[in-house]
């Protein structure tokens, strides 16, 4: 089983739609959780961190369920500019340091006019 | 300020050749990471430097891969006897010093696209 698994996608949605991405992780020792965004042929960039209490940033809402080892990202009122690959990322403590990122394969989102 | 820079942006080489990929981290960042991203996959961890030393090289696939950071700033990823399977985008990231209790955001460079013919 892969350490981080995401919806395979791709997702094609019209502008204004709500879209949800799901992700599961296998390492129960994982400490920090993130969603990264990667535009075509560009580097990944941090979109938002994910907390157990859930967190929201404008149109984006992230949720974490530690018991189920499940992470989600919801995008409301999607825009053309949201088109990108969304990467679920988990960070595990290793050797006393909190640095090692494990990425999912990513889910491609295309928002259509 | 300036972000992470990587050179070259593209490298085409022949099977069996030696290549060097360079990473210039954000000024003042003591932690530096190399990842490899194959087509259709997420980035995979290769190696982590804290200062000049490789604190974790567990992600390097085999002994053809080696990385250095002699002065604690610029890093070079070296691949010997390249194989077609080494073709991928090699991403470098840097962050403030990592700690036990907190995660410091990793900022990625644009990557080097390596193609081995």
């Amino acid at each position: 089983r892969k350490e981080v698994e995401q919806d395979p996608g791709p997702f094609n949605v019209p502008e204004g739609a709500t879209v949800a991405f799901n992700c599961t992780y296998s390492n129960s020792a994982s400490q920090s959780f993130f969603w990264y965004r990667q535009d075509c042929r560009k580097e990944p960039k941090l979109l938002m961190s994910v907390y157990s209490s859930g967190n929201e940033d404008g149109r984006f809402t992230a949720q974490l369920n530690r018991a189920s080892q499940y992470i989600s990202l919801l995008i409301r009122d999607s825009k053309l500019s949201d088109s990108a690959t969304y990467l679920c990322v988990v960070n595990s403590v290793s050797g006393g340091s909190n640095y090692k990122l494990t990425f999912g394969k990513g889910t491609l989102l295309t928002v259509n006019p | 300020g300036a972000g992470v820079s990587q050179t070259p942006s593209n490298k085409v080489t022949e099977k069996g050749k030696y290549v060097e990929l360079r990473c210039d981290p954000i000024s003042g960042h003591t932690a530096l990471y190399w990842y490899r991203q194959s087509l259709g996959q997420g980035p995979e961890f290769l190696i982590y430097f804290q200062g000049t030393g490789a604190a974790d090289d567990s992600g390097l696939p085999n002994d053809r891969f080696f990385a250095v950071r002699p002065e604690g700033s610029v890093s070079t990823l070296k691949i010997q006897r390249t194989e077609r399977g080494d073709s991928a985008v090699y991403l470098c990231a840097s962050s403030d010093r990592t700690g036990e209790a907190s995660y410091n955001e990793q900022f990625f460079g644009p990557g080097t696209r390596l193609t081995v013919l």
Side-chain angles (χ1 to χ4, degrees):
Chain A
R1 183 184 169 189
K2 284 190 176 290
E3 282 195 60
V4 179
E5 296 208 53
Q6 294 186 238
D7 291 331
F11 288 7
N12 281 280
V13 302
E15 264 187 297
T18 295
V19 59
F21 300 100
N22 302 307
C23 170
T24 57
Y25 61 94
S26 61
N27 185 352
S28 59
S30 300
Q31 300 246 327
S32 309
F33 309 88
F34 312 93
W35 286 99
Y36 272 69
R37 172 194 167 125
Q38 187 171 27
D39 292 294
C40 187
R41 300 181 79 89
K42 300 285 190 182
E43 71 272 23
K45 292 185 179 176
L46 179 64
L47 177 65
M48 59 197 302
S49 301
V50 189
Y51 305 111
S52 296
S53 53
N55 48 301
E56 191 172 307
D57 182 2
R59 299 180 293 107
F60 298 81
T61 301
Q63 295 274 357
L64 166 66
N65 184 321
R66 284 187 184 269
S68 304
Q69 295 181 200
Y70 168 85
I71 306 161
S72 66
L73 175 69
L74 187 76
I75 306 176
R76 291 182 302 279
D77 188 24
S78 52
K79 311 290 185 192
L80 296 177
S81 57
D82 294 334
S83 297
T85 294
Y86 290 82
L87 297 156
C88 178
V89 186
V90 169
N91 174 269
S92 304
V93 173
S94 179
S97 281
N98 190 11
Y99 63 85
K100 199 165 190 172
L101 297 182
T102 302
F103 288 79
K105 286 178 69 169
T107 305
L108 176 63
L109 171 67
T110 302
V111 181
N112 302 301
Chain B
V4 178
S5 62
Q6 293 187 244
T7 54
S9 54
N10 282 283
K11 176 73 178 177
V12 180
T13 191
E14 292 179 343
K15 181 174 178 295
K17 299 288 188 183
Y18 168 82
V19 297
E20 288 190 353
L21 312 179
R22 176 189 167 109
C23 172
D24 226 311
I26 292 171
S27 177
H29 279 184
T30 58
L32 185 145
Y33 318 81
W34 284 97
Y35 292 83
R36 176 167 75 171
Q37 187 171 22
S38 300
L39 193 63
Q41 305 293 319
E44 292 179 307
F45 171 81
L46 295 178
I47 186 169
Y48 156 58
F49 287 91
Q50 184 58 261
T52 60
D56 182 352
D57 65 358
S58 62
L60 294 178
N62 52 59
D63 62 5
R64 295 186 297 105
F65 289 75
F66 188 70
V68 296
R69 195 186 184 199
E71 297 176 359
S73 178
V74 171
S75 175
T76 305
L77 178 65
K78 308 180 181 196
I79 310 174
Q80 298 178 316
R81 304 182 304 280
T82 51
E83 299 177 357
R84 292 194 181 89
D86 298 336
S87 297
V89 176
Y90 289 81
L91 293 161
C92 177
S94 71
S95 73
D96 285 334
R97 182 181 180 85
T98 60
E100 292 184 17
S102 65
Y103 167 77
N104 291 315
E105 182 180 348
Q106 295 182 22
F107 295 86
F108 284 82
T112 294
R113 185 172 299 273
L114 175 67
T115 303
V116 181
L117 301 177

